[in-house]
């Protein structure tokens, strides 16, 4: 239902999905659905402020311990929380414990008084999704319960057939590509009650299936560039997020900070926004 709601500030919490992988910009940074949503909100709200605290590879414990406190202290009008999927995609996982920690995150974030938005994350069609589907659905059922408890909004990306299409996913087969992120931004926009720009769940035209040789080449490249390094990190206890902080979090100061566009009529990519108060 369209409500034409007004949001003056937005803080995003989570992992690589919210950080923006793999919607790459020419300078090597990532954009993603949260940045796209922030730019659209800024274009309609002078003085709009934004902070993305999400970091790739983070598990729910790290999101709860490192991001939720700083996010809650910012008092944003809008807060998005997406986490737990990195946990349930691991070989072993206590899903009940993941749900308990996600509850802690939601309980803390709603104290800031803003609108909380949760998500049922998208899943790429294929054997990986089928293997982990029961865990994912247990997590998503809990997200629905949290939303009912806190009056949160839920963006149901998991039910989307369009976002399950491999054409929406990057070469690593784990993150959405630019078109996938654009559609997620539109889905969140509409869930907030803002006027639709497009039908985000329209299926893409069917792709011409690649030949055997092309599939094998792609599989080998995927194994060499993505699967192998991922397995290596699991075996050595490392994460792609080690040593990283959210885009708007200062490790030196130990706190998050806001950014805002110089020109709200033409916000441009958030990588060009200025720090509030700087």
């Amino acid at each position: 239902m369209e409500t034409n709601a007004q949001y003056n500030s937005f803080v995003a919490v989570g992992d690589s999905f919210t950080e923006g992988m793999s919607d790459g910009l020419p300078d090597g940074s990532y954009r993603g659905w949260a940045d796209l949503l922030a730019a659209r909100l800024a274009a309609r709200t002078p003085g709009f402020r934004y902070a993305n605290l999400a970091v790739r590879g983070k598990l729910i414990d790290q999101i709860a311990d490192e991001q939720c406190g700083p996010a809650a202290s910012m008092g944003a009008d809008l807060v998005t929380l997406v986490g737990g999927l990195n946990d349930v995609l691991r070989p072993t996982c206590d899903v009940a414990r993941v749900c308990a920690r996600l509850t802690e995150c939601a309980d803390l974030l709603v104290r800031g008084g803003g609108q909380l938005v949760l998500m049922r994350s998208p899943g790429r069609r294929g054997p990986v999704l089928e293997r982990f589907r029961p865990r994912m659905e247990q997590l998503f059922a809990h997200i629905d319960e949290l939303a009912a408890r806190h009056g949160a909004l839920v963006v149901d990306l998991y039910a989307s057939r369009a976002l399950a299409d491999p054409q929406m996913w990057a070469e690593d087969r784990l993150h959405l590509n630019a078109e996938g992120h654009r559609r997620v931004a539109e889905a969140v926009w509409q869930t907030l009650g803002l006027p639709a720009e497009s039908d985000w769940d329209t299926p893409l035209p069917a792709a011409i299936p690649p030949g055997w040789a092309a599939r094998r080449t792609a599989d080998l490249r995927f194994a060499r560039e993505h699967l192998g390094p991922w397995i290596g990190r699991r075996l050595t206890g490392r994460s792609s997020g080690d040593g990283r902080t959210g885009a708007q979090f200062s490790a030196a100061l130990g706190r998050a900070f806001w950014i805002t566009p110089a020109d709200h009529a033409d916000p441009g990519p958030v990588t060009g926004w200025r720090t509030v108060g700087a």
Side-chain angles (χ1 to χ4, degrees), residues 25-83:
L25 294 172
D27 66 359
S29 63
Y30 293 107
R31 179 176 51 186
W33 66 265
D35 286 3
L36 291 168
L37 177 64
R40 291 179 66 179
L41 291 170
R44 69 197 306 271
T45 310
F48 179 82
R49 298 170 299 161
Y50 171 56
N52 191 331
L53 309 186
V55 180
R56 68 194 71 175
K58 294 301 184 183
L59 301 172
I60 191 61
D61 283 340
Q62 296 166 308
I63 292 172
D65 295 341
E66 299 168 10
Q67 297 179 33
C68 290
S73 70
M74 300 181 85
D77 295 336
L78 173 65
V79 183
T80 58
L81 167 63
V82 188

Side-chain angles (χ1 to χ4, degrees), residues 1 19 30 47 52 54 59 67 71 79 90 101 119 130 166 170 181 202 216 245-246 248 278:
M1 180 177 65
E19 183 186 348
Y30 293 107
N52 191 331
L59 301 172
Q67 297 179 33
V79 183
R90 292 202 162 200
R101 294 243 62 190
M119 293 191 196
E130 294 311 313
H181 278 284
T202 298
R216 296 293 78 78
T245 62
Q248 280 75 56

Side-chain angles (χ1 to χ4, degrees), residues 27-272:
D27 66 359
S29 63
Y30 293 107
R31 179 176 51 186
W33 66 265
D35 286 3
L36 291 168
L37 177 64
R40 291 179 66 179
L41 291 170
R44 69 197 306 271
T45 310
F48 179 82
R49 298 170 299 161
Y50 171 56
N52 191 331
L53 309 186
V55 180
R56 68 194 71 175
K58 294 301 184 183
L59 301 172
I60 191 61
D61 283 340
Q62 296 166 308
I63 292 172
D65 295 341
E66 299 168 10
Q67 297 179 33
C68 290
S73 70
M74 300 181 85
D77 295 336
L78 173 65
V79 183
T80 58
L81 167 63
V82 188
L85 203 61
N86 283 336
D87 299 81
V88 302
L89 293 179
R90 292 202 162 200
T92 59
C93 174
D94 182 345
V95 182
R97 185 179 182 281
V98 173
C99 291
R101 294 243 62 190
L102 191 67
T103 297
E104 293 176 24
C105 292
D107 290 349
L108 179 58
L109 291 171
V110 296
R111 294 176 193 168
Q115 175 63 65
L116 178 64
V117 176
L118 307 172
M119 293 191 196
R120 295 161 59 93
S121 302
R124 183 182 186 273
R125 284 200 306 267
V128 173
L129 175 63
E130 294 311 313
R131 176 183 177 187
F132 294 103
R133 187 184 293 277
R135 291 184 188 174
M136 292 171 65
E137 292 185 347
Q138 183 179 346
L139 175 65
F140 296 158
H142 184 69
I143 285 171
D144 290 341
E145 293 173 5
L146 285 177
R149 180 191 309 174
H150 290 303
L153 300 173
V154 177
V155 186
D156 189 4
L157 307 174
Y158 179 67
S160 168
R161 294 184 62 187
L163 288 176
D165 188 333
Q167 295 180 87
M168 293 285 189
W169 295 73
E171 287 187 355
D172 65 5
R173 306 180 185 181
L174 189 61
H175 301 103
L176 293 171
N177 58 24
E179 175 61 14
H181 278 284
R182 186 196 69 78
R183 289 181 180 233
V184 173
E186 179 66 27
V188 182
W189 178 267
Q190 292 181 25
T191 301
L192 293 173
L194 298 168
E197 184 177 279
S198 62
D199 181 355
W200 63 271
D201 202 21
T202 298
L204 290 172
I208 299 174
W212 183 89
R215 294 198 304 273
R216 296 293 78 78
T217 298
D219 288 343
L220 288 171
R221 183 170 61 249
F222 163 72
R224 180 179 66 252
E225 297 179 5
H226 303 291
L227 181 60
W230 183 86
I231 292 173
R233 290 194 297 271
R234 297 287 81 75
L235 292 175
T236 57
R238 294 177 293 119
S239 167
S240 57
D242 288 348
R244 295 180 179 273
T245 62
Q248 280 75 56
F249 186 89
S250 169
L253 298 177
R255 62 176 178 83
F257 58 89
W258 295 110
I259 58 173
T260 191
D263 180 1
H264 288 272
D266 183 19
V270 302
T271 50

